[in-house]
Amino acid sequence: IVNEELTSLMGGTESKLNYASYGPTVIMLVGLQGAGKTTHVGKLAALLRKQDKKKPLLIAGDIYRPAAINQLMTIGKQLGIEVFERGNKMPVTQIVTEGIQYAKKMNYDLVIIDTAGRLHIDDALMKELDDVVKVAKPDEILLTIDAMMGQDAINVITTFNEKLPLTGCILTKLDGDTRGGAALSIRYLTNVPIKYIGVGEKLDQIELFHPDRMAGRILGMGDVVS
């Protein structure tokens, strides 16, 4: 009974991504600095290329953290996925607009946008993300959240969700000892579905979130299927 209740608390079944019916599907990753956003842009692209035969383009939209563009370029190179970047002198809305136009021209059917994070939520960050949403019109806005944040994760999600139409979460750093307490409360308290989990540092260590398997893991019953 506990297992079943836990599973339904976390959403019951896995939540799939929404793909656009025509044109490239646009996915935007948002979140605080240090949650693994840039890495997960690459991880998600690699996963969807493999699973759903997508042709992804990554857009470097974090123009504030000096290493972010280089980091994304390195990830793109490792995965053999093109990265669209215009340095950090141009407004991010312009970079995103040009990136999506480029994707259409080059027949990419998936665009994943890396966005700026801050160490805490502030109005400037939210305004910028909102501006990006307006020009990109994303099919998915995924919040990357560090599983080790504990209860503070709820405040972060709630605040992001008030300002942006979040469609889901990527819960990162679920390797190690965090058994996913945050996973429990996220779905129940915010109604934002967890779509993917990051389970390690490597670029293939991302998987679809299965509430039933997470319930087994939290209860110490082991995740037999995975």
Side-chain angles (χ1 to χ4, degrees), residues 36-122:
K37 189 161 41 353
T38 304
T39 317
H40 279 79
V41 166
K43 283 184 175 187
L44 189 59
L47 180 77
L48 298 178
R49 177 178 63 180
K50 186 176 159 193
Q51 271 187 0
D52 297 345
K53 306 289 178 273
K54 293 288 173 189
K55 184 185 173 190
L57 174 73
L58 311 180
I59 297 182
D62 182 352
I63 55 175
Y64 303 106
R65 192 164 64 85
I69 297 172
N70 295 342
Q71 187 189 350
L72 196 61
M73 297 292 285
T74 307
I75 289 169
K77 207 167 173 184
Q78 281 175 330
L79 294 168
I81 292 174
E82 189 176 357
V83 175
F84 183 91
E85 59 91 21
R86 286 286 181 265
N88 58 3
K89 300 283 183 279
M90 205 185 251
V92 66
T93 46
Q94 194 179 339
I95 296 171
V96 168
T97 305
E98 287 183 15
I100 291 172
Q101 284 168 350
Y102 177 78
K104 287 175 180 166
K105 195 173 88 186
M106 304 305 283
N107 290 324
Y108 284 101
D109 55 5
L110 177 65
V111 175
I112 304 182
I113 306 168
D114 187 22
T115 62
R118 301 275 197 284
L119 292 171
H120 53 85
I121 296 167
D122 61 18

Side-chain angles (χ1 to χ4, degrees), residues 164-193:
L164 299 170
L166 293 181
T167 59
C169 271
I170 298 178
L171 207 55
T172 67
K173 303 182 192 171
L174 263 176
D175 45 340
D177 292 336
T178 39
R179 274 210 173 134
L184 270 183
S185 27
I186 284 173
R187 181 64 198 252
Y188 183 64
L189 294 175
T190 66
N191 214 19
V192 175

Side-chain angles (χ1 to χ4, degrees), residues 7 13 24 29 31 33 48 83 92 108 116 125 132 134 142-144 146 156 172 180 185 200 214 222 226:
T7 304
T13 54
L29 262 63
Q33 218 164 295
L48 298 178
V83 175
V92 66
Y108 284 101
L125 170 69
V132 174
K134 283 179 182 136
L142 302 177
L143 177 68
T144 48
D146 183 336
V156 173
T172 67
S185 27
M214 183 57 78
S226 295

Side-chain angles (χ1 to χ4, degrees), residues 140-154:
E140 289 274 354
I141 302 176
L142 302 177
L143 177 68
T144 48
I145 195 114
D146 183 336
M148 294 196 262
M149 277 184 89
Q151 284 305 308
D152 205 33
I154 298 304

Side-chain angles (χ1 to χ4, degrees), residues 179-206:
R179 274 210 173 134
L184 270 183
S185 27
I186 284 173
R187 181 64 198 252
Y188 183 64
L189 294 175
T190 66
N191 214 19
V192 175
I194 302 160
K195 297 203 170 179
Y196 290 95
I197 52 175
V199 290
E201 295 286 315
K202 296 194 180 74
L203 290 173
D204 59 352
Q205 289 179 315
I206 181 174

